[in-house]
Amino acid sequence: MIPLPTRRSTTRLARAIAGAAEPGDLVVLSGELGAGKTFLVRALLRAMGLPADERVTSPTFALVNDYEIRRRKIAHADLYRLGDASELEHLGLRDRRAEGAILLVEWGEPYEAALGGDALLVRIELGPPRTARLSASGERAARLAASVLAAAAPSA
Ligand SMILES: Nc1ncnc2c1ncn2[C@@H]1O[C@H](COP(=O)(O)OP(=O)(O)O)[C@@H](O)[C@H]1O
Ligand SMILES: [Mg+2]
């Protein structure tokens, strides 16, 4: 469990994920509206090197926003409004992943398997107190979770 009492602590978690993520990784973000999923993604993209003048909008309606930062491809999705799993195929997220993009998917829990599995799940609880729990559904995701936890420890 990672306490997220302040935006700064969420930013620290985002930096830890940014530092450990590799091409093809799937990060699923869950937690109710306002939990901080988009905030975390924004901080993560900044940590990866997205220039401050490039805006990060919530993909609530677009469903997917694509970024290329320092030759790394990242797709930020919000599947809250996705009708059903068949629509997912049209979004092409799995294809992007196969091509090496890192997928950051809000509300992605129901689609984890359809996105290829082996996901790092970041479950944010609004609380109070606000917290994050990490879990992994595959070998690569488990390694990613371990690296993130090591880097995000509050004492670090
Ligand atoms: N510790 C924190 N971590 C993340 N967001 C926080 C925190 N404290 C306050 N906030 C605020 O909570 C809101 C989270 O909104 P958002 O990231 O859009 O949520 P979600 O995408 O989960 O619906 C933002 O306005 C953010 O500034
Ligand atoms: Mg959001």
Side-chain angles (χ1 to χ4, degrees):
M1 198 267 287
I2 301 166
L4 301 178
T6 60
R7 291 180 184 83
R8 195 189 177 93
S9 46
T10 304
T11 299
R12 188 186 300 126
L13 172 60
R15 284 187 186 139
I17 299 172
E22 291 178 0
D25 279 345
L26 169 62
V27 180
V28 167
L29 299 139
S30 86
E32 61 193 281
L33 226 57
K37 302 180 294 297
T38 302
F39 181 94
L40 192 150
V41 169
R42 204 171 269 134
L44 199 159
L45 292 168
R46 297 284 177 228
M48 284 184 159
L50 189 75
D53 61 354
E54 268 188 57
R55 287 192 60 200
V56 177
T57 59
S58 172
T60 313
F61 296 99
L63 299 188
V64 190
N65 292 333
D66 290 296
Y67 298 87
E68 185 164 345
I69 307 168
R70 296 179 184 155
R71 299 232 176 95
R72 296 216 272 182
K73 291 189 195 311
I74 302 115
H76 174 203
D78 181 337
L79 302 184
Y80 187 71
R81 279 163 206 279
L82 195 74
D84 59 80
S86 68
E87 276 183 48
L88 189 64
E89 220 174 302
H90 296 293
L91 284 182
L93 284 173
R94 207 176 164 149
D95 298 337
R96 285 181 180 76
R97 188 181 186 191
E99 288 159 8
I102 295 170
L103 303 188
L104 309 171
V105 186
E106 299 184 41
W107 301 103
E109 247 182 306
Y111 309 104
E112 221 183 276
L115 291 169
D118 204 353
L120 170 66
L121 174 63
V122 180
R123 196 189 299 262
I124 306 176
E125 301 268 353
L126 194 42
R130 199 189 237 101
T131 59
R133 281 170 203 281
L134 304 190
S135 56
S137 63
E139 279 180 31
R140 163 60 200 153
R143 283 201 304 277
L144 176 58
S147 311
V148 171
L149 279 173
S155 54

